RNA sequence: GGGGGCAUGGCGGAAUGGUAGACGCAGCGGACUUAAAAUCCGCAGACGGCGACGUUGUGGGGGUUCAAGUCCCCCUGCCCCCA
């Protein structure tokens, strides 16, 4: 199957191989024993079952391909503050996902039955080296490579049974803080390097092989999970940190995880726990039993998939040359057409001997193709770069083109991509930058995480059944059509099983695309979930009809955009001649001086230019489409009734042209049609965006708010240009002030010009 | 358990520390109509008052300020992410 995208994806993948950022290793993976395939963590439910087969997922060790995203962990974390155009919460989620924590690796020597060193050591990772004197046991992950060797004969059966049990659990189950902590002792002991004590070695479900060193030190007095574990197995709990100013009985029977002061810690007694972390790490380094270590929660990215669909990882395995990249001229690796989908076994590709057998590109000896395909997130991590150079057949993209168009100014996606796609794309960008293929650090300058459309949902609280809205006869008193029970009503993500979906084509057939679009924009801010409400759709439709009647009425009265003085043939700033209205260019509008306008005209112009200001602002920077639509409504209200008729042709034409140009992005079809109806030249979508005329916004008088001790007590119409002293004088003389101050002079007067005067008695 | 976010009329939602509730939906009253729909005009947080107005009000409790939905602290509830 020839897939151009695969050739390009393969090229991208080779970049990682060449950079040394792709590797293969044994990994613990989720294995579905029924479907015989690997599952992603997200595809395993809370009970540890496959989302597809329902089988209990097992842990298996398999050789898989990884991309070394951890090599970029620091950059991915440290560059987050630069992403000022991203929502704070997405940045926080990425920072938490990367999870950089500073701590130490400490070595616990394994001892034999007589307490003598056996020559082996367990290295634990901890963020709390300050608590090492409180260690009462050391725990390995059941998958830890030393488990088998360190298990004593009398524990062997128990250990094997436990490992088998744990392999059936999901990571989430294993590490949940409120879940049971289970484990078994191996029989061996280790020596605490700080105080020489011998403590038992255990394995437990709450320690993961993939995190840190796969081993932790158990400090029950200062870690919640260690505490639960110790209590269950009656292991000692020794407090070594106490809250400052308290004694060692301060939290007996509980856990203290906050900072404090060290006790029972030899030469470190009395130190603050914060400084003891560094001091104990330094001691470990100088004495050779540990070292400072920065640990990440982020794991390398497992990209192997045992699927037919997908781009094959472009390498060939040769017995003498090792892993050899498929030469560029042989890309893409074409997928075979004759495939048996048994649904079982490894990748369907692995069963096709003809396809798998190939000559090594290096030495020509018989070799075998890689049969794993790549995770689909590989493609989505760089597709946007291709848009800068879509017709290039030689390269995925050319640097000059990608540097010209990228990074993406405004990216839009759901919050569900906060970690996966958005983190992978940032990783790709940094790698390709370091390979010299592009010249920027981040792929997306601004990010909008849009909300979901939710549908009205009816549910019978007793039976738990969902009821289709069509079956609810009276929405104001929703009842189950079968039983008559009162239904629960709420808005939820649309889903077939909940009968709460909305068919967009039905809405468009009935009201048109303009209504549907405006409803969506108006109903809620873009980043919020939106509750689909037919009554609101209807309301939006009414608004567009009002505009239609407004324009039609104007056209019937002979108003035209073609012959008003407001229209001037102008050359646009881009040099393209366009005969268009320039409603906002004050130098062109001779009628715009306040003296030449009637009071009604000035009022109308103020409404027009207020709308221009507000809508332009709403479309710039943070997108506030909902308030932009409400400004359109205000403008059309201000043009309704007698208001438009009372204005002369130039002002009326300016108002009409402005309304349609402002409306065009929201209701493009209607705006264009009405533009033609009014005799506008060209297309409404090719007009210059209006610029507000400051002179039109000026008022002679403004309502001044009079506050007495911060409470609004009245209004006063005052000259708009009055200075502070005048405003204070007017306020003090006002009827409101006389009534509330009862003749006494206020002790304090705050004047906010243009807004209010606050008189404090 | 940790981190993040949110909380405003009957509903969706507006409010650079400066008149809370813009705009809309639902509602109520009126006009038009034989009637209904559509349309147009008006009312509308709550409580009190015929009214002018007054009191109160942005989840709860404190604080900063002449002034707090907005800033700070504590609490409650809901949502998301991570364990």
């Amino acid at each position: 199957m020839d897939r151009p995208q695969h050739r390009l994806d393969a090229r991208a993948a080779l970049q990682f191989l060449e950079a040394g950022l792709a590797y293969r290793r044994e990994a613990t993976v989720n294995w579905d024993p029924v479907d015989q395939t690997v599952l992603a963590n997200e595809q395993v439910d809370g009970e540890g079952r496959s989302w597809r087969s329902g089988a209990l997922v097992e842990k298996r060790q398999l050789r898989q391909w990884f991309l070394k995203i951890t090599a970029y962990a620091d950059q991915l974390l440290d560059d987050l503050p630069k992403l000022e155009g991203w929502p704070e919460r997405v940045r926080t989620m990425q920072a938490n996902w990367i999870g950089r924590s500073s701590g130490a690796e400490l070595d616990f020597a394994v001892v034999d039955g007589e307490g003598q060193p056996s020559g082996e050591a367990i290295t634990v990772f901890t963020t709390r080296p300050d608590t090492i004197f409180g260690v009462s046991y050391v725990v390995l992950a059941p998958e830890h490579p030393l488990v088998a060797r360190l298990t004593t004969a009398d524990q062997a059966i128990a250990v094997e049974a436990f490992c088998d049990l744990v392999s059936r659990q999901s990571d989430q189950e294993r590490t949940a803080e409120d879940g049971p902590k289970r484990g078994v002792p191996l029989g061996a002991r280790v020596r605490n390097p700080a105080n020489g004590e011998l403590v038992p070695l255990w394995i437990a479900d709450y320690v993961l092989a993939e995190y840190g060193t796969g081993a932790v030190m158990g400090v029950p007095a200062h870690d919640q999970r260690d505490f639960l574990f110790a209590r269950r197995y009656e292991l000692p709990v020794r407090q070594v940190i106490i809250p400052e100013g308290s004694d060692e009985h301060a939290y007996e029977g509980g856990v203290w995880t906050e900072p404090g002061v060290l006790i029972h810690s030899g030469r470190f007694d009395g130190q603050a726990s914060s400084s003891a972390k560094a001091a104990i790490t330094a001691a470990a380094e100088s004495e050779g039993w540990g070292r400072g270590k920065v640990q990440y929660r982020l794991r390398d990215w497992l990209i192997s998939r045992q699927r037919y669909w997908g781009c094959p990882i472009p390498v060939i395995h040769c017995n003498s040359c090792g892993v050899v990249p498929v030469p560029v001229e042989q890309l893409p690796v074409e997928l075979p057409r004759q495939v048996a989908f048994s649904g079982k076994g490894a990748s369907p590709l692995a069963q096709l001997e003809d396809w798998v057998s190939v000559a090594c590109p290096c030495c020509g000896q018989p070799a075998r193709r890689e049969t794993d395909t790549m995770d689909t997130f590989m493609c989505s991590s760089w597709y946007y770069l291709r848009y800068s150079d879509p017709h290039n057949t030689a390269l995925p993209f050319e640097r000059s083109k990608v540097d010209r168009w990228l990074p993406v100014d405004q990216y839009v996606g759901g919050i569900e991509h906060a970690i996966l796609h958005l983190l992978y794309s940032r990783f790709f960008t940094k790698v390709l930058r370091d390979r010299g293929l592009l010249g920027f650090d981040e792929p997306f300058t601004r990010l909008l995480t849009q909300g979901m459309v939710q549908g009205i949902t009816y549910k019978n609280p007793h039976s738990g059944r969902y009821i289709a809205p069509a079956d609810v006869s009276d929405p104001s008193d929703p009842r189950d059509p079968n039983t008559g029970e009162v239904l629960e009503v709420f808005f939820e993500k649309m889903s077939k099983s909940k009968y709460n979906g909305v068919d967009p084509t039905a809405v468009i057939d009935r009201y048109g695309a303009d209504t549907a679009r405006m409803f969506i924009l108006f109903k809620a801010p873009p980043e919020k979930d939106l509750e689909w409400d037919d009554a609101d759709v209807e309301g939006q439709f009414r608004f567009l009809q009002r505009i239609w009647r407004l324009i039609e009425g104007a056209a019937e009265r002979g108003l035209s955009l073609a012959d008003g003085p407001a229209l001037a043939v102008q050359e646009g700033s881009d040099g393209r001649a366009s005969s268009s209205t320039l409603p906002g260019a004050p130098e062109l509008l001779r009628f715009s001086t306040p003296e030449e306008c009637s009071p009604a005209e000035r009022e109308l112009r103020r409404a027009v230019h207020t709308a221009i200001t507000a809508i332009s602002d709403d479309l710039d920077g943070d997108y506030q489409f909902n308030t932009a639509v409400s400004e359109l409504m205000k403008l059309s209200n201000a043009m309704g009734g007698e208001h438009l008729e009372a204005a002369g042709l130039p002002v009326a034409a300016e108002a009409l042209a402005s309304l349609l140009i402002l409306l065009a992005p929201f209701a493009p079809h209607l705006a264009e049609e009405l533009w033609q109806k009014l005799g506008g030249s060209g297309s409404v979508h090719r007009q210059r965006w209006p610029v507000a005329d400051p002179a039109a916004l000026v008022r002679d008088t403004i309502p001044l708010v009079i506050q007495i001790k911060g409470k609004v007590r009245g209004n006063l119409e005052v000259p708009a240009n009055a200075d502070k002293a005048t405003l204070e004088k007017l306020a003090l003389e006002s009827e409101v002030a006389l009534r509330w101050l009862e003749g006494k002079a206020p002790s304090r007067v705050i004047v906010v010009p243009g807004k209010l005067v606050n008189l404090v008695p």
Side-chain angles (χ1 to χ4, degrees):
Chain A
M1 201 184 290
D2 184 25
R3 296 252 183 102
Q5 172 80 23
H6 284 178
R7 183 177 67 246
L8 304 168
D9 284 332
R11 292 285 292 265
L14 290 182
Q15 289 292 330
F16 285 84
L17 268 177
E18 286 169 26
L21 292 169
Y23 65 93
R24 258 176 121 205
R25 70 168 169 86
E26 290 276 327
T28 308
V29 296
N30 302 307
W31 181 258
D32 180 335
V34 172
D35 282 354
Q36 300 269 302
T37 184
V38 169
L39 294 174
N41 283 337
E42 298 79 21
Q43 293 163 355
V44 181
D45 70 17
E47 293 173 7
R49 291 178 182 275
S50 164
W51 66 289
R52 203 155 162 271
S53 69
L56 277 173
V57 168
E58 296 172 5
K59 296 292 180 184
R60 278 217 184 168
Q61 298 289 315
L62 282 180
R63 227 164 135 72
Q64 303 276 290
W65 282 95
F66 288 85
L67 294 188
K68 216 184 260 179
I69 191 171
T70 52
Y72 283 77
D74 279 322
Q75 277 189 54
L76 289 168
L77 184 66
D78 294 341
D79 283 353
L80 282 174
K82 291 187 200 165
L83 296 172
E84 287 168 8
W86 282 38
E88 181 64 38
R89 66 181 191 133
V90 174
R91 290 190 279 169
T92 306
M93 280 162 71
Q94 291 211 351
N96 290 342
W97 184 260
I98 294 165
R100 181 162 66 192
S101 57
S102 300
E105 286 183 353
L106 304 174
D107 304 325
F108 286 69
V110 178
V111 298
D112 58 25
E114 278 73 50
Q116 296 308 304
S118 71
E120 282 172 311
I122 301 295
T123 300
V124 304
F125 173 76
T126 179
T127 58
R128 296 297 304 276
D130 52 316
T131 64
I132 189 168
F133 287 87
V135 171
S136 43
Y137 61 98
V138 167
V139 202
L140 302 181
E143 300 88 354
H144 195 284
L146 288 178
V147 166
R149 189 140 23 110
L150 297 179
T151 302
T152 56
D154 53 337
Q155 285 299 102
I157 292 172
V159 167
E160 197 179 322
F162 184 73
C163 288
D164 186 53
L165 178 77
V166 169
S167 72
R168 298 175 194 281
Q169 284 185 290
S170 69
D171 287 358
Q172 289 92 324
E173 281 180 283
R174 285 175 55 172
T175 54
E177 273 182 26
D178 45 0
K181 311 285 173 286
R182 291 176 295 189
V184 289
L186 295 183
R189 287 183 300 170
V190 295
R191 183 184 299 279
N192 184 333
N195 58 14
E197 282 181 4
L198 298 185
V199 295
L201 190 58
W202 286 63
I203 55 173
D205 53 5
Y206 73 97
V207 178
L208 302 178
E210 299 287 313
Y211 184 76
T213 59
V216 302
M217 57 188 209
V219 187
H222 305 290
D223 181 277
Q224 186 66 34
R225 285 183 284 190
D226 293 347
F227 180 77
L228 292 173
F229 189 77
R231 205 160 53 178
R232 182 179 178 115
Y233 294 106
E234 297 178 341
L235 292 156
V237 180
R238 186 201 294 151
Q239 297 149 24
V240 292
I241 294 176
I242 52 172
E244 200 169 350
S246 70
D247 61 25
E248 59 187 283
H249 304 297
Y251 59 97
E252 256 172 10
V255 186
W256 180 258
T257 57
E258 302 294 308
V261 178
L262 272 65
I263 59 167
H264 301 149
S265 296
R267 61 198 148 120
F268 301 100
D269 278 357
Q271 269 206 39
S273 56
S274 51
S275 65
K277 284 183 188 177
I280 290 176
T281 304
E285 282 175 359
S286 66
E287 293 163 20
W289 48 271
R291 57 218 75 84
K293 169 87 174 172
V294 176
Q295 183 67 42
Y296 301 90
R297 217 190 64 89
L298 182 69
R299 310 261 56 88
D300 275 340
W301 176 11
L302 198 168
I303 58 161
S304 286
R305 293 293 180 272
Q306 292 77 42
R307 308 275 192 214
Y308 166 74
W309 53 93
C311 173
I313 294 170
V315 298
I316 290 164
H317 301 281
C318 170
N319 283 335
S320 32
C321 308
V323 174
V324 182
V326 175
V328 168
E329 59 274 13
Q330 289 179 25
L331 293 176
V333 175
E334 288 195 14
L335 290 167
R337 286 167 192 278
Q338 305 297 323
V339 188
F341 292 101
S342 65
K344 300 245 151 100
S347 164
L349 298 176
Q351 297 161 23
L352 292 168
E353 196 54 39
D354 285 357
W355 185 81
V356 171
S357 297
V358 67
C360 169
C362 258
C363 63
Q365 294 299 305
R368 300 181 67 78
R369 282 194 193 283
E370 173 61 61
T371 60
D372 282 353
T373 53
M374 291 191 274
D375 183 2
T376 58
F377 277 107
M378 286 287 284
C379 319
S380 61
S381 295
W382 73 279
Y383 76 96
Y384 49 90
L385 302 172
R386 176 70 180 177
Y387 291 159
S388 67
D389 195 5
H391 304 299
N392 197 329
T393 51
L395 294 168
F397 53 84
E398 206 172 88
R399 169 146 186 184
S400 61
K401 299 225 169 121
V402 79
D403 280 356
R404 167 154 185 240
W405 290 102
L406 278 279
V408 177
D409 298 308
Q410 177 69 59
Y411 204 59
V412 179
I415 189 70
E416 70 275 15
H417 293 124
I419 296 174
L420 297 167
H421 167 56
L422 291 168
L423 190 65
Y424 295 149
S425 297
R426 295 183 61 220
F427 169 49
F428 258 62
T429 301
K430 289 174 192 301
V431 170
L432 295 180
R433 176 204 59 198
D434 290 347
R435 301 285 296 163
L437 298 174
L438 47 76
F440 43 91
D441 295 329
E442 290 286 342
F444 314 123
T445 306
R446 287 167 31 114
L447 173 68
L448 171 70
T449 52
Q450 95 280 21
M452 275 183 305
V453 178
Q454 302 187 317
I456 191 161
T457 312
Y458 297 98
K459 185 181 181 182
N460 184 322
H462 298 106
S463 65
R465 281 172 191 269
Y466 290 92
I467 310 294
D471 296 337
V472 176
S473 47
D474 180 8
S476 61
D477 179 30
R479 288 175 180 276
D480 190 310
N482 301 315
T483 65
E485 290 168 292
V486 175
L487 300 173
E488 268 184 274
V489 184
F490 49 94
F491 283 88
E492 214 170 58
K493 178 181 176 180
M494 292 184 182
S495 146
K496 266 187 190 169
S497 61
K498 293 174 182 169
Y499 313 110
N500 60 354
V502 173
D503 178 7
T505 55
V507 175
I508 289 168
D509 286 348
R510 183 156 179 196
Y511 299 107
D514 283 346
T515 298
R517 183 187 293 101
M518 280 195 81
F519 158 75
I520 288 168
L521 294 174
F522 176 63
K523 179 76 179 173
E527 63 277 4
K528 276 197 69 164
D529 285 345
L530 174 159
E531 299 176 354
W532 188 281
D533 181 343
D534 289 334
D536 283 331
V537 178
E538 190 79 40
Q540 202 58 234
F541 184 59
R542 283 203 295 263
F543 169 61
L544 290 180
Q545 285 180 308
R546 265 204 302 280
I547 294 217
W548 175 275
R549 286 194 299 270
L550 179 74
I551 302 292
E552 201 171 41
E556 277 169 9
R557 290 200 309 280
L559 273 170
S560 167
L561 296 177
D563 49 26
L567 304 176
V569 176
Q570 282 297 311
E571 194 153 299
S573 56
D574 52 4
R576 190 172 47 214
S578 64
S579 50
S580 71
T581 59
L582 286 171
E587 69 276 14
L588 296 169
L589 301 174
R590 287 184 299 103
F591 59 84
S592 72
T593 56
E595 297 75 34
E596 292 177 32
C597 290
S598 70
E601 287 179 328
R602 286 166 62 189
E603 201 180 315
L604 181 57
R605 292 205 75 221
R606 191 158 56 236
V608 169
H609 289 268
T610 300
I612 292 170
T613 307
I615 294 172
S616 302
D617 190 55
D618 284 342
L619 297 183
D620 193 45
D622 292 335
Y623 295 138
Q624 294 176 287
F625 303 126
N626 55 330
T627 50
V629 174
S630 84
E631 290 297 330
L632 285 170
M633 291 171 170
K634 284 188 211 174
L635 176 57
S636 100
N637 288 344
M639 288 169 65
E642 311 293 304
H643 299 289
L644 193 63
E645 291 177 37
L649 179 61
V651 171
E654 178 195 38
L656 290 165
S658 300
L659 175 66
L660 292 180
I661 295 172
L662 294 172
L663 178 70
F666 302 91
H669 305 98
L670 179 73
E672 181 69 14
E673 193 167 344
L674 295 177
W675 183 261
Q676 303 305 330
K677 194 184 261 297
L678 273 183
S681 62
S683 162
V684 70
H685 301 296
R686 303 200 47 115
Q687 307 306 311
R688 263 202 200 174
W689 192 252
V691 178
D693 174 7
L697 300 172
V698 172
R699 320 171 58 128
D700 295 335
T701 63
I702 54 157
L704 182 76
V705 170
I706 313 280
Q707 292 185 338
I708 308 294
K709 210 180 162 207
K711 278 188 194 280
V712 177
R713 294 301 180 188
N715 274 301
L716 194 61
E717 202 67 19
V718 301
N721 56 2
D723 62 13
K724 272 191 161 191
T726 312
L727 291 173
E728 180 172 342
K729 183 165 168 288
L730 288 168
L732 284 168
E733 288 168 355
S734 70
E735 201 183 319
V736 176
L738 294 178
R739 184 147 61 90
W740 286 88
L741 294 177
E742 294 165 340
K744 284 172 242 156
S747 63
R748 192 164 175 188
V749 179
I750 287 102
V751 181
V752 183
K755 285 257 159 70
L756 58 83
V757 174
N758 187 8
L759 305 171
V760 185

